[in-house]
Amino acid sequence: MNIFENKTVVISGGAEGIGLAVARALGKRGMNIVIADIDATQLSVAEAELAGAGIPVLATTLDVADLSQWKRVAEQSIERFGKVHMVVNNAGVGGKGGTIEETDSSTWQWVIDVNLMGVVYGTQVMVPLMKSHGEGGWVVNVASMAGFGPLPLATPYTATKAAVVAMTENWAQELAPEGIHACVLCPGFTQTRINLSERNKHDRYTNNESGDESKSASSLNSTLKKVVETGMPSGVVAERLIEALEAKELYVFTHPSYRPLVNVRFNATAVAFDNAIQSPLLANYKDLMLPSFN
């Protein structure tokens, strides 16, 4: 059974990279595709490719940090295809690397607006459309393995990706009764251009920055360039997502070799609980019931 046929997906950051790969993968399974992206030139190229493959496609510009633009994309999607069944909140930026002192407020605001609020806005706008037709649907949020562990000198990026993981965990429980499956895609290094994301940076985020790149940022960017260019092909990531959607997975991992890095956090968490159990201060609180919010 093809669960995607004749349904409609809206993909932010859909003009290239993982977003376009997901569009290809879902398009060949019979979905109507809406690709939205801030890069109008790349968007036209992607639209031509998908249309040339016989995939029903609507391409529209979108700054994910602008709620009003999300509402416009929703209106265009309904006008063209009638319903929306899936949103893939894929658009994201890497931010400008640096230490605590080197990472200024404009960088923080840019990464938060795109990586965090872009996901919030996309979900807030598209979920009511899914609820309205009663056929269920999907919310796919693209985070990163950086949401499960540190990436030094890229704190805004890791902070926002961790937030996306947490939001998805909440939404998965909230939306399940509506027949809407929420999942979080957490790829490792993939062949995209995220290391060049400043090419699409809006002027409003550059007012407080100097033009000089710090030594630490230069080192990080050099490393990221290498690991991104040699990373997993985006098409493999997209097919892994399809596999996970069919299996109704919550956490969608693409790089099994990253497990030891993630286990560092979980092992440390287990030790922290053991320390709490052994603490004399907490002796009278060991049997407190976990609150239920159902």
Side-chain angles (χ1 to χ4, degrees):
M1 177 182 176
N2 183 356
I3 61 175
F4 306 111
E5 190 171 9
N6 297 321
K7 295 181 179 175
T8 300
V9 57
V10 177
I11 306 171
S12 69
E16 59 181 302
I18 293 174
L20 180 56
V22 171
R24 294 187 189 110
L26 291 173
K28 76 178 184 180
R29 288 167 171 81
M31 285 198 92
N32 305 314
I33 305 297
V34 180
I35 50 172
D37 203 286
I38 198 170
D39 187 335
T41 301
Q42 194 65 35
L43 192 63
S44 296
V45 174
E47 179 185 25
E49 177 199 323
L50 295 172
I55 297 171
V57 58
L58 168 66
T60 183
T61 55
L62 170 67
D63 177 352
V64 296
D66 186 334
L67 178 59
S68 66
Q69 292 191 34
W70 269 109
K71 292 178 179 179
R72 172 180 52 77
V73 171
E75 292 170 357
Q76 292 173 319
S77 301
I78 294 299
E79 182 179 356
R80 175 68 182 276
F81 296 119
K83 298 177 182 178
V84 170
H85 300 84
M86 181 188 298
V87 60
V88 179
N89 290 306
N90 166 72
V93 296
K96 187 176 182 180
T99 62
I100 294 171
E101 298 89 345
E102 293 164 347
T103 308
D104 59 32
S105 60
S106 63
T107 294
W108 272 102
Q109 196 62 60
W110 174 44
V111 179
I112 289 171
D113 285 353
V114 176
N115 291 3
L116 178 58
M117 296 312 300
V119 174
V120 172
Y121 293 155
T123 306
Q124 284 183 331
V125 170
M126 297 301 167
V127 163
L129 300 182
M130 298 177 207
K131 290 181 177 180
S132 69
H133 55 61
E135 299 173 7
W138 300 269
V139 173
V140 178
N141 297 326
V142 180
S144 166
M145 289 308 301
F148 285 89
L151 181 61
L153 304 179
T155 303
Y157 181 78
T158 57
T160 52
K161 293 304 183 180
V164 170
V165 172
M167 290 194 304
T168 308
E169 290 169 334
N170 286 347
W171 291 339
Q173 294 189 29
E174 178 183 336
L175 296 174
E178 304 283 347
I180 299 172
H181 174 66
C183 70
V184 58
L185 174 60
C186 302
F189 290 112
T190 305
Q191 293 175 18
T192 67
R193 291 201 293 166
I194 193 168
N195 58 308
L196 302 175
S197 52
E198 294 217 16
R199 70 191 186 281
N200 291 323
K201 191 174 186 178
H202 198 285
D203 289 344
R204 64 179 176 270
Y205 300 118
T206 61
N207 295 335
N208 300 324
E209 291 186 356
S210 67
D212 298 328
E213 185 176 64
S214 68
K215 185 176 180 180
S216 57
S218 177
S219 175
L220 174 64
N221 290 336
S222 177
T223 300
L224 288 178
K225 181 177 185 296
K226 294 176 183 177
V227 294
V228 166
E229 290 178 349
T230 59
M232 182 176 286
S234 57
V236 177
V237 173
E239 289 297 328
R240 171 69 186 111
L241 173 62
I242 302 301
E243 178 182 67
L245 288 175
E246 292 174 336
K248 295 187 176 180
E249 297 176 22
L250 171 57
Y251 307 104
V252 185
F253 292 157
T254 60
H255 289 60
S257 60
Y258 284 33
R259 185 170 188 168
L261 299 177
V262 176
N263 280 345
V264 170
R265 168 181 285 185
F266 291 108
N267 292 339
T269 301
V271 171
F273 271 111
D274 289 340
N275 292 340
I277 291 170
Q278 295 166 11
S279 171
L281 291 171
L282 306 178
N284 296 328
Y285 301 95
K286 293 179 181 179
D287 297 323
L288 288 177
M289 297 296 293
L290 183 70
S292 174
F293 298 100
N294 294 330

